[in-house]
Amino acid sequence: MSAFDVNENVSPINFKEVLQPSPFQSRIDEYGIVQEWMSWNGYKTARVFDTLASEYFAIRSTCGVMDLTPMEKYRISGPDALTYLNRLVTRDITLLKPNRVTYVIWCNDEGKVLDDGTVFHLQNGDYRLCSQHHQLDWLLLSSLGFDVTIEKETHDVAALAVQGPTSCAALMEAGLVDIDRLKPFDIGYMTLNGMELMISRTGFTGDLGYEVWTHPDRALDLWDLIFSVKEQGLFDIRPTGLGALDMVRIEAGFIMPGDDFNTAETAVRADRVRSPYELGLGWLVDLEKPYFTGKQALIAENTEPAKQRLVRLVVEGNKPPMDAFLYDQKGGSRIGTIKSCVWSPILKTNVALADIEFQKGSAPIEIWAEIYYQKELEWRATWARCNISKKPFWAHPRSSITPPQKF
Amino acid sequence: MTKPVSVVLVGGGHNGLICATYLAKSGYDVQILEARESVGGGASSIKFGGDYTVSGLAHILYGLNTKVCKDLGLDISALKSSEPLNTISLQLDGNHITLGLEAVLGEMISSKDQQAYRTFKREFRGYAEALEPLMMNTPPRLKDMDRKDKFTLAKLGWSLRFGLGAKSMREFLRVGGINIYDVLNEVFDNSALKGAVSFDAVLGQHMGPRTPNTVLTYLQRLWGECQDTQMIPKGGMGKISEILEKAAIDAGVKIRTGVKVKKICVAHGHSDGVVLESGEHVEASIVVSNADAKTTLLDLVGAPQLDAMFCNRVNSIRQNGDVAKLHFALNDLPNFKGLSPQELQHRLIVAPDMRYVEHAFNHSKYGEFSQHPVLEIIIPTIGDSASAPEGHHIMSVSASFAPYDLKGGWSDSRRAFLNRVIETIDQYAPNFSSSIVTSDLLTPLDIEEQYNIAGGHWHHGELSIDQSFMMRPVHGSAQYQTPIKGLYLCGAATHPGGGITGMPGHNAAQRILSSGDLG
Ligand SMILES: Cc1cc2nc3c(=O)[nH]c(=O)nc-3n(C[C@H](O)[C@H](O)[C@H](O)COP(=O)(O)OP(=O)(O)OC[C@H]3O[C@@H](n4cnc5c(N)ncnc54)[C@H](O)[C@@H]3O)c2cc1C
């Protein structure tokens, strides 16, 4: 018996392929010059392909392409699919017509948010739910008493997000001729070179953009089709990583469950969970619709103003307010923390999402961030005034015009 | 004067009847909707084999609550035999032991064990009585307590600490969470005596003597004993329900039988009536359900009206029954070795020692029925000859363990289990099998179907610590309330559990009356 016997049953594959490859992997590897990989739901995903700045500006000024396959996708069908979904999420899904998409959140029994995502009404009574995190357990648990089929189809559907001002024009150039008819949150279907495509006018960038869905077998064909437009020298199209996405989503004011608040499933401490009202997502809660999980708790909570809120802050100055504590005045009492922040290259200011206390339901009169920063390896502290932004920091009219303008 | 508020009860088991009577006596307009042809639920008498009358499910009254009897003016004394009911634990060699409320008799029982039994009963009845404030009140919430919750807890604390005294209280806390097996091994020498006492700790439960929690279930049983209403009612348990039914009608309760409720209606989080299987809609301001928790919440209310996690908690309530009921019509009195015909009016049990009981339980852990079942046997015709034709007898048996979800299903195993029970009884009364005219076996599955108890459990759900007190039937629906406003539970599924005690019905009525929901 040799000393190595113990390891015999461990497959070497486990060490080589800890992260799952996406159907686009061979192209992603080709473009991933800096090899900055990270895990997104267990998939090998690029944080950056070449430089963060060029990817950010591709999304904001031309066209960025991102692999969406790792996003959790669930197919929800069966006779009770609609009543099931309506009991799951806080929004009224009966209002969602076929070939339309809507943004949703769902809560636990206590009315605390578990995750957010989008519901796609594919065909009559057939839905796809996309979520940030793994939700199969909760979806199955919620299915007790409903005649519904829930299938995880994350790996069975390949998807690319094509986002940016020239995304429509570039895709049309690639042959997706009719997509300029799609209104925001519309879904369209087409067959191109034998590829079955679903196109939705959706995205996480706050800009004009589409998501293109196909069978994993045709993933590389889809990629090549889109990038062929670039090869013809017509548009600059760049693959973009999660780093650039994080920048644009903060600019657009989109929250990231798990980053901006603890999801109810993962929170250990009782005060770390957040209700939709506390996240500024009260507009997604319909207390008039039929019962949904957490409704009773939310009705009760809604009678009192929220004690804390996730808010959008514009932070003055140019020091990055990463993880900064927030105070009600310079050197005053602590009232919160910054959750996500970014220097917005396009707005030329620091923008952030922050969790702060709301005394008696109203925002603090003043908010100050205490920012620690380094100057040639020496730590300094400074104060920066913060202002709550009622609207997303970045919202361009081109994102909602139909048909989109040609750039 | 009847206030313009109507209460509908889903089910008229004994708890439903009692709850309804309390509410009607307080002036409310109350209607019972019972699925079966008569009220009483588990407390009913049925005709079987032509001319024989027998208790359908419950056959021994262990302790109908005395306060309930007094409050509702129930006189059940005429149903009682003049002799107090003893338990005779059968032994193969005919050296049976007889357990009374205070004393134990038997050739094999040493004077040391006799003394130990007296002390043991006194001590444990003391514990049981100290739990009184908990039994007869809504179990206090631990979070967001109101004044009543605090008062109940204070009374409980007082009765434990000062009712029992420091030494007893310490002992109570020591034994409260352990199993009856360990306690009985400490207290007694004789294995037959231990077996007989352990029987009472596991009856009706999916538990063996070694299962933790069996001291508490034993105390629950003793609490019944403290009521002094222990009897085999003449004419069967249905007679008790007749008395309850009369009290209900006298108080103004309207009773409809043969009407099964299909749905409890909910509008804006508040129940506003029920729909019957016929499609008829019965409106009500308040709905009180005597059905078990799973039936009430998952079938009648339905998951779409409730939170997802709550539904899963309800769905996980352990409420699969493990006791079968058997009725035998006999053309001759069974001849039990070592027992006089007169002694057959007592409660006979087959639980010859704790190993026997534990082994019987082991089978059910793995989805099998006991090869050597634990039995509770009564022959009610000894004291009540009217229940059978001249010279004939009936025997009523509760047989453990017979799991609801038997491996391979019950349809192919009914005969085999029936035979195991008959063979077991034959060992003690050899002429038994030859005197059987007809027999009737109700597995937990049959109980579910005939008595509308999902799972067919004795208590509508295990009486284990995690399903007791403020967590009964389930966290999120304790204190007789449910997440649906105006919907209450009043049956055995609630605190303090099953048996013909009337306590859930009483407590639920108090809860409803103090809730303000009736205006
Ligand atoms: C095998 C067995 C033996 C037992 N032996 C004894 C014993 O010897 N002594 C003892 O004290 N206890 C005994 N029990 C326990 C006892 O029978 C129960 O705990 C007791 O009957 C519970 O009373 P309840 O009023 O809460 O509910 P139940 O007696 O179950 O009554 C509930 C009523 O609600 C009705 N109902 C349910 N759903 C609907 C609906 N949808 N619409 C209309 N009506 C509905 C049912 O038909 C039923 O009449 C035994 C139990 C079993 C299973």
Side-chain angles (χ1 to χ4, degrees):
Chain A
M1 199 187 181
S2 88
F4 297 106
D5 276 356
V6 253
N7 284 337
E8 246 174 23
N9 291 333
V10 180
S11 157
I13 302 290
N14 290 350
F15 297 98
K16 282 194 191 143
E17 293 290 350
V18 175
L19 293 178
Q20 200 171 350
S22 137
F24 298 104
Q25 203 65 46
S26 57
R27 299 297 181 272
I28 289 171
D29 286 347
E30 210 176 287
Y31 281 89
I33 298 168
V34 294
Q35 305 253 354
E36 222 186 294
W37 308 115
M38 60 186 286
S39 165
W40 177 16
N41 284 336
Y43 283 83
K44 182 180 170 189
T45 309
R47 188 195 307 276
V48 178
F49 282 88
D50 49 23
T51 60
L52 187 58
S54 69
E55 291 167 34
Y56 168 84
F57 279 110
I59 298 172
R60 282 286 174 249
S61 307
T62 58
C63 178
V65 173
M66 202 187 84
D67 178 13
L68 263 189
T69 312
M71 183 171 60
E72 294 283 339
K73 304 189 266 306
Y74 303 95
R75 190 59 159 266
I76 294 166
S77 53
D80 290 346
L82 175 60
T83 44
Y84 165 78
L85 274 171
N86 223 21
R87 194 309 206 76
L88 178 78
V89 304
T90 61
R91 254 185 147 167
D92 192 350
I93 298 298
T94 58
L95 304 175
L96 184 67
K97 298 199 180 74
N99 296 322
R100 291 286 295 166
V101 184
T102 190
Y103 173 62
V104 295
I105 50 169
W106 50 99
C107 298
N108 66 6
D109 291 14
E110 288 73 40
K112 302 302 177 187
V113 179
L114 284 162
D115 205 356
D116 70 352
T118 42
V119 178
F120 289 67
H121 193 169
L122 303 178
Q123 261 129 46
N124 239 331
D126 189 13
Y127 297 87
R128 174 177 297 151
L129 175 70
C130 299
S131 64
Q132 183 60 31
H133 297 285
H134 180 84
Q135 291 293 328
L136 189 60
D137 303 307
W138 182 255
L139 297 182
L140 289 176
L141 192 145
S142 297
S143 71
L144 180 76
F146 293 88
D147 186 359
V148 64
T149 310
I150 298 157
E151 283 166 296
K152 175 165 161 154
E153 55 176 11
T154 304
H155 203 70
D156 304 328
V157 183
L160 290 177
V162 183
Q163 306 276 316
T166 62
S167 56
C168 179
L171 284 172
M172 286 175 75
E173 197 58 44
L176 282 68
V177 284
D178 279 340
I179 60 163
D180 56 344
R181 289 203 216 139
L182 296 177
K183 292 200 239 5
F185 296 107
D186 269 355
I187 301 174
Y189 295 88
M190 65 164 39
T191 309
L192 194 63
N193 309 338
M195 262 188 291
E196 306 253 344
L197 298 179
M198 182 180 102
I199 305 108
S200 54
R201 186 166 166 189
T202 46
F204 204 49
T205 60
D207 215 311
L208 176 64
Y210 299 84
E211 290 168 346
V212 189
W213 316 69
T214 194
H215 192 276
D217 291 349
R218 305 305 301 269
L220 297 180
D221 296 336
L222 175 63
W223 179 288
D224 292 344
L225 181 74
I226 294 171
F227 279 87
S228 71
V229 175
K230 175 179 171 142
E231 264 149 41
Q232 291 162 38
L234 295 170
F235 292 96
D236 187 22
I237 301 172
R238 287 165 186 266
T240 55
L242 287 176
L245 182 72
D246 202 41
M247 294 174 73
V248 296
R249 71 96 189 167
I250 297 172
E251 286 178 341
F254 294 141
I255 63 172
M256 188 84 92
D259 286 9
D260 296 322
F261 69 99
N262 273 321
T263 58
E265 192 186 14
T266 56
V268 175
R269 293 166 182 81
D271 64 341
R272 302 305 151 87
V273 291
R274 290 291 180 269
S275 76
Y277 302 118
E278 292 167 334
L279 297 178
L281 298 177
W283 62 281
L284 289 175
V285 180
D286 184 350
L287 295 177
E288 299 303 314
K289 72 169 231 185
Y291 200 77
F292 59 87
T293 298
K295 184 179 180 183
Q296 204 179 50
L298 291 173
I299 289 173
E301 184 169 327
N302 197 30
T303 57
E304 281 178 34
K307 292 195 187 65
Q308 47 220 344
R309 277 288 297 272
L310 190 73
V311 294
R312 287 179 283 265
L313 288 185
V314 174
V315 185
E316 289 177 0
N318 60 3
K319 304 287 182 295
M322 186 89 78
D323 303 327
F325 282 132
L326 299 171
Y327 297 82
D328 58 358
Q329 55 186 36
K330 264 191 204 180
S333 336
R334 206 156 90 196
I335 53 169
T337 46
I338 300 256
K339 296 294 179 190
S340 302
C341 65
V342 67
W343 169 260
S344 166
I346 207 154
L347 301 168
K348 305 278 182 290
T349 181
N350 273 313
V351 294
L353 296 169
D355 191 42
I356 57 172
E357 287 170 20
F358 265 39
Q359 303 248 339
K360 297 204 181 77
S362 44
I365 300 159
E366 283 182 30
I367 304 170
W368 288 85
E370 187 184 25
I371 302 174
Y372 285 73
Y373 65 100
Q374 260 190 348
K375 216 163 199 177
E376 295 188 65
L377 293 183
E378 192 183 285
W379 281 101
R380 307 264 174 97
T382 187
W383 291 93
R385 181 79 194 253
C386 309
N387 293 301
I388 293 181
S389 171
K390 289 251 176 331
K391 294 208 188 93
F393 309 110
W394 167 264
H396 200 284
R398 70 180 168 228
S399 68
S400 51
I401 296 172
T402 311
Q405 298 144 291
K406 297 261 180 284
F407 291 97
Chain B
M1 198 194 79
T2 303
K3 296 175 192 147
V5 181
S6 56
V7 182
V8 146
L9 274 104
V10 180
H14 82 286
N15 279 316
L17 288 165
I18 288 168
C19 182
T21 310
Y22 274 108
L23 297 179
K25 273 178 168 283
S26 299
Y28 298 101
D29 159 25
V30 185
Q31 186 170 35
I32 290 178
L33 302 171
E34 168 57 51
R36 288 161 52 85
E37 289 310 317
S38 58
V39 289
S44 56
S45 301
I46 55 158
K47 279 256 179 261
F48 110 102
D51 296 328
Y52 304 87
T53 305
V54 66
S55 295
L57 276 190
H59 59 188
I60 300 178
L61 195 66
Y62 298 107
L64 182 62
N65 184 257
T66 37
K67 175 174 184 288
V68 171
C69 293
K70 216 172 107 215
D71 286 353
L72 305 186
L74 311 171
D75 184 7
I76 56 170
S77 56
L79 306 177
K80 199 172 178 177
S81 137
S82 50
E83 247 188 85
L85 186 67
N86 288 331
T87 297
I88 299 176
S89 178
L90 301 173
Q91 306 298 316
L92 281 177
D93 59 9
N95 271 322
H96 311 307
I97 59 173
T98 305
L99 298 93
L101 293 181
E102 281 146 24
V104 59
L105 294 171
E107 259 177 52
M108 309 302 290
I109 307 295
S110 66
S111 59
K112 177 166 167 259
D113 266 352
Q114 287 186 7
Q115 190 46 49
Y117 184 78
R118 281 178 190 282
T119 315
F120 170 77
K121 282 303 282 281
R122 195 178 333 110
E123 214 173 287
F124 274 65
R125 275 181 71 147
Y127 302 150
E129 274 162 359
L131 291 177
E132 152 120 22
L134 200 50
M135 294 292 191
M136 287 304 283
N137 280 291
T138 300
R141 284 169 293 206
L142 296 180
K143 234 175 93 183
D144 309 324
M145 288 198 233
D146 63 15
R147 266 181 53 217
K148 177 133 194 308
D149 289 331
K150 287 182 187 153
F151 188 61
T152 304
L153 261 193
K155 265 207 299 195
L156 176 66
W158 179 274
S159 107
L160 284 174
R161 176 62 186 82
F162 298 103
L164 287 177
K167 191 161 156 278
S168 290
M169 168 143 173
R170 212 177 310 124
E171 180 62 7
F172 172 70
L173 291 177
R174 185 180 76 85
V175 300
I178 65 175
N179 62 41
I180 199 77
Y181 182 89
D182 290 344
V183 171
L184 297 180
N185 273 333
E186 279 174 21
V187 179
F188 302 123
D189 295 331
N190 182 275
S191 59
L193 176 56
K194 291 186 233 178
V197 177
S198 78
F199 175 89
D200 271 337
V202 302
L203 181 60
Q205 302 271 76
H206 181 69
M207 292 179 183
R210 280 178 161 142
T211 310
N213 197 118
T214 37
V215 171
L216 276 190
T217 48
Y218 181 65
L219 289 178
Q220 209 245 5
R221 167 56 49 83
L222 282 187
W223 204 76
E225 222 180 81
C226 300
Q227 304 307 305
D228 234 15
T229 45
Q230 197 150 257
M231 67 169 95
I232 297 172
K234 285 193 191 124
M237 201 59 79
K239 290 286 175 205
I240 298 283
S241 295
E242 278 174 28
I243 292 171
L244 289 172
E245 183 180 10
K246 183 167 181 303
I249 291 169
D250 289 350
V253 177
K254 289 184 213 66
I255 298 177
R256 287 174 67 185
T257 57
V259 281
K260 191 163 185 177
V261 172
K262 193 168 77 181
K263 193 169 169 278
I264 293 172
C265 307
V266 180
H268 304 293
H270 198 294
S271 70
D272 61 0
V274 300
V275 175
L276 306 181
E277 217 129 71
S278 64
E280 186 189 340
H281 187 190
V282 180
E283 278 179 49
S285 324
I286 282 196
V287 177
V288 186
S289 176
N290 191 185
D292 62 279
K294 260 188 218 178
T295 301
T296 305
L297 294 164
L298 297 185
D299 295 347
L300 301 180
V301 172
Q305 299 291 348
L306 297 164
D307 289 327
M309 191 56 106
F310 176 76
C311 288
N312 279 268
R313 274 206 301 278
V314 173
N315 195 45
S316 327
I317 295 174
R318 282 165 288 118
Q319 63 175 66
N320 284 348
D322 220 347
V323 186
K325 187 74 204 290
L326 298 101
H327 305 133
F328 296 101
L330 309 173
N331 58 22
D332 196 6
L333 191 60
N335 186 3
F336 280 86
K337 283 181 282 183
L339 289 182
S340 70
Q342 211 38 43
E343 283 174 304
L344 296 182
Q345 65 175 302
H346 291 290
R347 171 186 186 234
L348 314 179
I349 63 174
V350 175
D353 57 53
M354 291 202 287
R355 273 170 63 97
Y356 180 100
V357 181
E358 188 71 31
H359 286 183
F361 171 58
N362 279 348
H363 286 282
S364 80
K365 283 197 275 193
Y366 304 107
E368 301 156 8
F369 59 71
S370 309
Q371 285 303 313
H372 300 286
V374 171
L375 307 177
E376 178 181 68
I377 303 168
I378 62 165
I379 306 172
T381 35
I382 307 268
D384 169 25
S385 54
S387 291
E390 180 82 50
H392 283 222
H393 286 277
I394 45 177
M395 182 190 272
S396 173
V397 180
S398 292
S400 310
F401 294 83
Y404 173 82
D405 49 357
L406 189 74
K407 234 190 280 168
W410 270 107
S411 46
D412 293 337
S413 297
R414 301 179 62 87
R415 189 73 231 172
F417 183 66
L418 179 66
N419 286 342
R420 291 313 300 153
V421 173
I422 293 173
E423 284 159 26
T424 305
I425 300 174
D426 257 350
Q427 289 180 296
Y428 300 92
N431 71 332
F432 168 66
S433 53
S434 58
S435 64
I436 299 174
V437 179
T438 179
S439 65
D440 185 19
L441 163 67
L442 284 106
T443 67
L445 217 65
D446 304 316
I447 294 169
E448 168 176 88
E449 209 178 279
Q450 295 175 26
Y451 290 87
N452 306 306
I453 305 170
H457 195 284
W458 186 294
H459 296 280
H460 291 192
E462 282 282 292
L463 269 185
S464 48
I465 292 189
D466 64 316
Q467 298 189 161
S468 291
F469 308 123
M470 45 294 265
M471 277 166 338
R472 188 165 186 85
V474 75
H475 166 59
S477 177
Q479 297 202 321
Y480 310 95
Q481 283 169 311
T482 68
I484 307 292
K485 290 191 196 72
L487 173 64
Y488 292 85
L489 298 172
C490 76
T494 63
H495 172 80
I500 312 303
T501 67
M503 289 189 283
H506 161 273
N507 293 356
Q510 305 312 316
R511 181 77 202 170
I512 293 162
L513 290 171
S514 66
S515 70
D517 272 7
L518 285 169

